[in-house]
Every structure is written in structure tokens, then in C-alpha cells.
Amino acid sequence: MELNTINKEVAKRTEKVTLRHFITESGTELSAIRIFYHSWGKLNSRADNVIWICHGLTADSNAAAWWPGLIGPGKTFDTNKYFIICPNTPGSCYGSSTPKELKSAADLPDKINLKITARDIANMFDLMTVQLGIKQIHILTGPSIGGFLALEWAIANTLPVKKLALVATSYYASPWNIAINETQRMAINRQNKKAGLATARAIAILSYRSAEAYNSTQQGKNETNEFYAATYQQYQGEKLVKRFSPDAYEFMIDLFNSHDVSRKNTDAHAALSKVNIPVLVIGFTHDNLFPPREQHQLAEMIPGATLQIIASDFGHDAFLTESRKVSAIIKNKLNI
């Protein structure tokens, strides 16, 4: 699914905010952080009609393009009723501070890596709401690592959130996740950076899709006698290289790996028990990145959470390909 798809039905705005003197979890001060965002609809007089969307690993802030069917007049995220906002995660490629800019803002020696965690990003978003004058979030949501950020923010409970929708995500980066991410990092660091990024993306796609999806859509060979499955992998790698940077990709992998609600001498159950609002957890039957059992665990540890597993052969990417089903479930289960 192309991120640059123009959704002509939905009027959108693009703006940015700048945070000053941000302190990370590790104690590093960043002098300035730029956060680019898309928004739709209008903030009401009470500043509480907000739907906040956190995006996935390589997505951008134009959620109406990559999550079709959710945002617009009369849709689940109704632009006539709600102010919908999706910020681009700092360290990504789409308008927010780049990894190089973040490192410069931290004024760290070259040999010392800047550590930015999922909780740090959630804290940045929280400070962003102050600048925008937001008093309450009606629905906080995110798919994949966007779900990491939404969950970290909900646990911190720094801004009132009424409802939480977690889609194809988890309460921690599992050893399986970290192994996949490390294999991608090895590909980037042992080749030409752009060629390495293409290889990393091809590796990632295998965790985003399922055997069922490949076996149903990539059978056979093309007119030059090449396997469709092989050319598809090449295509996916080449496509990402055109729109994403290796440095940003490694940054986002590190951000992914940082997520674990059980850190800081607590356990996952204790951390998740702090989330005392209506929570909807949505998973997919063939998600290899965040398997359904993790969705069950996540829902069991959050008091009163509702779990919905959608049958789909498209694995983790089903949060994109099954967006209409996701939309209907959010609308029905969260009563919006």
C-alpha cells in the first residue's frame, strides 16, 4: 500500500511543533525536537474531541492514506465530530527531526549513541498536546509500533484518555521481534547502506506477511522465467529505498526494541493494570510479528479490555489490508 496515495475525500492540514529542552528517560537533554503532523477536523471549545493516531515503523503522518476508510465525514473517525491528529515520529523520514538532527540536539560525542525509547516518544507527544491546547484525548490508537507508543502513553496517564484501541501490537518487543530486527540491522551494516536497507525490508516483509498470503498471491513465474515471489521481495526492498533512509530505519528499529512495559522493576501485569479505561485489542489470525497469543495476553492483563481477533491470511499487514474491518470493530466496540 503506497503511503503517497492522495485521499481526495478528506481535507487535511500539515503543521509542525517544536519542543524545547526535552529530557529523555536516560537523562539526556535535547535542545529542540521538531514534530511534523497531519490533522483533520476541528478542535472543539472544550478541546476534548481528539482522536490521536500513532503510526507504524515506516509509515508517515498521513493516516488517511495508509489507513483508508477510517478518516472522513461520516466515517468511524468522523471529521465532522472529531479533531484527528497523527504526528510523524521523531527519527523517522517524514518531516520530524531526523536521527542526525536529534543527535545534534543532544550534543553527544560521536561515539556515544543517542537512546530514544517508546516512552520518550510518548512523552514528546504529551508535551505536544500542551502546545496544541488539547485537554483530553477521546480515542488514542495505533497499529504495530504505533500501538507501542499509544500503550506507553496510556500507562503514563499524563493526559486524560477516554478510550484506547490497540491494533496488531504487543506489551513488549519479544525475543522473536528483536531477532528479526537484528537480522535487518546486520543486512544494513554489512552492505552498501541502501542495498542493505533493501535487504532489511525484504526480511521484514516475511514477518509482515504469512505463508498463506505468499502461497495465494505469488505463485508461478513471470514472462522472464523469474519467480513472482523472488521479484516481489526485490520490489519491496527497492520501493522502501526510494522513500526511507537507512539511518532512520535503524533508529526506528532501536525504538521498536526499547518497548517493554515491564521495565523499571515492575512486571507487565502491574504496569498494564494502571490502564483503567475502555480498551479494545485487535489482532489477526496469521500475524507472525505479534501472534494472536500476545493479543490474548495483552487483553488479559488490562482490566476489562475487549479482544477481537480478525481472520485474515495477510499476517501483520492485515491492519492495512483489513482496514474496513478494523474500522467497523472500533466503531462498534468503542461506541463512536
Side-chain angles (χ1 to χ4, degrees):
M1 188 170 295
E2 294 289 345
L3 294 176
N4 294 325
T5 300
I6 298 175
N7 188 335
K8 295 182 179 179
E9 299 176 11
V10 185
K12 62 180 182 290
R13 292 177 297 279
T14 57
E15 300 180 51
K16 64 181 179 181
V17 299
T18 300
L19 307 180
R20 303 288 181 185
H21 306 296
F22 179 84
I23 307 297
T24 68
E25 276 197 291
S26 61
T28 301
E29 179 177 332
L30 279 69
S31 59
I33 302 166
R34 181 181 65 257
I35 304 179
F36 180 87
Y37 66 93
H38 277 73
S39 66
W40 303 261
K42 295 181 179 179
L43 190 64
N44 64 15
S45 59
R46 298 182 302 278
D48 65 355
N49 66 327
V50 177
I51 294 176
W52 191 291
I53 301 171
C54 304
H55 66 72
L57 189 80
T58 63
D60 61 11
S61 54
N62 188 8
W66 53 260
W67 229 0
L70 271 80
I71 300 170
K75 295 183 179 180
T76 296
F77 296 161
D78 191 342
T79 50
N80 293 327
K81 294 171 57 179
Y82 299 107
F83 175 66
I84 300 104
I85 183 168
C86 181
N88 177 234
T89 301
S92 182
C93 277
Y94 297 105
S96 294
S97 295
T98 65
K100 184 177 180 179
E101 289 171 329
L102 291 172
K103 182 71 178 289
S104 177
D107 196 25
L108 292 174
D110 290 340
K111 292 183 179 180
I112 298 179
N113 292 327
L114 173 63
K115 295 181 180 179
I116 300 288
T117 67
R119 177 65 59 84
D120 285 328
I121 300 295
N123 289 340
M124 291 176 195
F125 290 169
D126 187 67
L127 291 173
M128 184 178 170
T129 65
V130 176
Q131 290 200 28
L132 297 177
I134 293 170
K135 303 299 183 184
Q136 184 181 70
I137 294 176
H138 187 70
I139 294 178
L140 175 60
T141 187
S144 193
I145 72 164
F148 292 2
L149 305 180
L151 186 56
E152 293 276 9
W153 197 359
I155 290 170
N157 195 32
T158 48
L159 180 78
V161 174
K162 288 192 69 176
K163 301 174 183 180
L164 180 64
L166 302 171
V167 183
T169 193
S170 184
Y171 57 94
Y172 80 135
S174 70
W176 169 245
N177 297 153
I178 292 168
I180 293 169
N181 290 342
E182 184 59 26
T183 306
Q184 295 178 70
R185 191 194 313 279
M186 290 163 63
I188 293 173
N189 289 336
R190 294 184 183 180
Q191 298 185 41
N192 168 282
K193 284 280 187 178
K194 288 188 176 181
L197 178 59
T199 303
R201 183 62 165 186
I203 293 166
I205 287 291
L206 295 175
S207 70
Y208 299 159
R209 303 292 169 83
S210 67
E212 289 80 5
Y214 272 83
N215 292 340
S216 66
T217 63
Q218 303 299 329
Q219 288 282 352
K221 297 180 179 181
N222 62 19
E223 63 278 3
T224 60
N225 205 36
E226 297 174 293
F227 287 107
Y228 283 120
T231 58
Y232 182 74
Q233 293 301 98
Q234 295 162 15
Y235 164 75
Q236 288 292 343
E238 291 164 0
K239 187 170 69 167
L240 186 71
V241 168
K242 293 177 181 178
R243 68 174 180 87
F244 220 78
S245 78
D247 288 345
Y249 199 79
E250 288 194 88
F251 178 93
M252 295 300 288
I253 284 175
D254 288 337
L255 181 64
F256 186 133
N257 289 349
S258 74
H259 177 58
D260 185 351
V261 302
S262 67
R263 69 193 185 288
K264 293 202 171 181
N265 301 316
T266 186
D267 59 37
H269 192 278
L272 293 170
S273 66
K274 298 176 182 178
V275 183
N276 291 307
I277 56 175
V279 177
L280 173 62
V281 177
I282 299 176
F284 300 92
T285 50
H286 290 92
D287 189 340
N288 293 321
L289 198 63
F290 304 116
R293 64 178 175 276
E294 287 186 19
Q295 316 306 306
H296 283 274
Q297 293 167 351
L298 180 59
E300 287 172 358
M301 289 188 285
I302 299 175
T306 299
L307 174 66
Q308 187 80 42
I309 302 295
I310 298 173
S312 175
D313 285 345
F314 281 90
H316 183 65
D317 271 358
F319 80 80
L320 298 169
T321 62
E322 308 288 357
S323 63
R324 296 191 183 280
K325 292 181 182 178
V326 171
S327 179
I329 290 169
I330 290 175
K331 186 177 182 66
N332 293 332
K333 298 296 184 181
L334 293 182
N335 299 314
I336 57 172

